[in-house]
Amino acid sequence: MNMNARKFGIKKRPLGYTVLSVLFLLEPLIKIIHLKIVTGFSISLLLNTILGWKNIFQVGEYFLLFPLAGVALFKIRRFSYIFLVLIQIYGLLKILTFEPYSWPYFTKEPILLIWGFVVVNLFVLLYLLHPQNRKPFFDATIRWWESKTRYMVDFPCKCHGIKDNGEVGTEAFDTKVLNISQSGAFIKGDHYKKGDKVQVGFQLLAKDYLFTGTVMSVHPFHDSMGMGIQFKTPGLSLFSNIGLIFQLKKAGYKPVDGRS
């Protein structure tokens, strides 16, 4: 599970996250197959028995707990991390408080599958608690694999700050767009700080573009300081972003690998 990052981010989704996501999604199926082998009962009997539990919460937990963890891990967001850690802790507590001869195992001691889940849960929990592994959940700027195709450009733009009440500031900041994609842009200068809301306007092939977004990072690029801005794309504005890409191609700009 290599989490080595380049200077400013991770180019590809970590393989470890993908593998764990798939395992979590398949967890109910793995349990059913293992129960069939251990008990000798048919899969239909096992499913009917489990679905017949009076406690709906228990049924939902059996089938949905770890698949939900798989979905959360696939998303890789702040809420995902908190949800994942809580599920791992809950799973460990459930396993460590095993009740002898309780359904669906009917054994005095925890079977091999349960101990396997203990080991996997501990491994996942320790893996998630490592500072390097939890960073992508809390810092969107290093999740490069989520970025759209980026184009190296060099044309002027005007940038305005947006106040907390949503009002666009009157003071314009004249600068340049250094690279741009459907989802954001990198502009020259460090006039704003991370988290600031801004409005970026420019002209391309005689067509005016105006985007609002959030400053996601401030860092050097080609010996100049710059700001990475993520566009806000509500409703039909998404089509304007897609149209921008066609204009960039028409103007002869070439896509580049990676993200600034």
Side-chain angles (χ1 to χ4, degrees):
M1 300 181 184
N2 185 12
M3 288 290 299
N4 292 331
R6 291 170 57 184
K7 186 175 181 180
F8 295 116
I10 304 170
K11 186 177 178 181
K12 295 182 179 180
R13 175 187 292 275
L15 179 60
Y17 290 163
T18 302
V19 171
L20 285 175
S21 294
V22 172
L23 288 175
F24 285 153
L25 290 171
L26 294 177
E27 190 261 358
L29 180 60
I30 295 172
K31 286 191 298 190
I32 290 292
I33 293 175
H34 189 269
L35 276 176
K36 174 177 172 55
I37 295 172
V38 172
T39 65
F41 298 151
S42 67
I43 290 180
S44 61
L45 176 60
L46 292 170
L47 288 175
N48 288 334
T49 303
I50 295 170
L51 292 173
W53 288 342
K54 293 181 179 180
N55 189 329
I56 301 300
F57 175 78
Q58 192 177 14
V59 176
E61 174 193 313
Y62 189 89
F63 287 106
L64 298 178
L65 185 64
F66 280 92
L68 286 175
V71 174
L73 182 55
F74 186 79
K75 292 295 293 181
I76 307 184
R77 293 293 186 273
R78 185 184 298 268
F79 79 88
S80 303
Y81 183 85
I82 298 171
F83 184 60
L84 280 165
V85 170
L86 289 177
I87 283 182
Q88 299 311 311
I89 294 174
Y90 177 77
L92 283 173
L93 290 175
K94 288 285 290 184
I95 293 169
L96 295 176
T97 55
F98 173 83
E99 296 181 11
Y101 300 109
S102 61
W103 176 261
Y105 301 107
F106 288 137
T107 57
K108 182 178 180 180
E109 301 293 338
I111 58 179
L112 181 61
L113 179 66
I114 296 181
W115 289 120
F117 280 137
V118 169
V119 173
V120 171
N121 270 41
L122 284 173
F123 171 75
V124 173
L125 189 58
L126 292 174
Y127 177 76
L128 290 172
L129 291 176
H130 191 285
Q132 190 176 13
N133 296 337
R134 68 171 179 255
K135 192 173 182 181
F137 291 90
F138 296 91
D139 188 355
T141 63
I142 69 172
R143 298 195 297 261
W144 284 10
W145 69 85
E146 295 180 344
S147 298
K148 302 293 184 180
T149 302
R150 190 164 291 269
Y151 294 80
M152 295 299 296
V153 298
D154 188 2
F155 49 72
C157 73
K158 285 185 179 292
C159 193
H160 294 79
I162 299 178
K163 300 177 182 179
D164 292 338
N165 61 5
E167 181 182 345
V168 178
T170 56
E171 183 181 354
F173 172 43
D174 293 310
T175 183
K176 287 185 176 182
V177 179
L178 300 182
N179 62 56
I180 194 168
S181 73
Q182 180 184 325
S183 59
F186 188 83
I187 66 175
K188 189 175 181 179
D190 56 357
H191 195 74
Y192 303 102
K193 65 181 184 300
K194 182 177 178 179
D196 285 349
K197 307 295 182 182
V198 296
Q199 183 184 78
V200 180
F202 56 87
Q203 189 177 77
L204 180 64
L205 295 182
K207 183 175 181 179
D208 293 323
Y209 289 90
L210 190 65
F211 295 101
T212 59
T214 304
V215 177
M216 302 301 292
S217 64
V218 180
H219 59 260
F221 177 74
H222 289 182
D223 299 324
S224 298
M225 288 299 295
M227 299 174 290
I229 299 172
Q230 183 179 62
F231 294 148
K232 183 180 180 181
T233 56
L236 295 176
S237 65
L238 176 61
F239 293 100
S240 175
N241 293 29
I242 296 173
L244 168 63
I245 302 304
F246 286 108
Q247 290 292 87
L248 288 167
K249 292 180 179 179
K250 186 177 179 181
Y253 293 110
K254 303 297 182 182
V256 294
D257 184 32
R259 172 176 169 178
S260 299

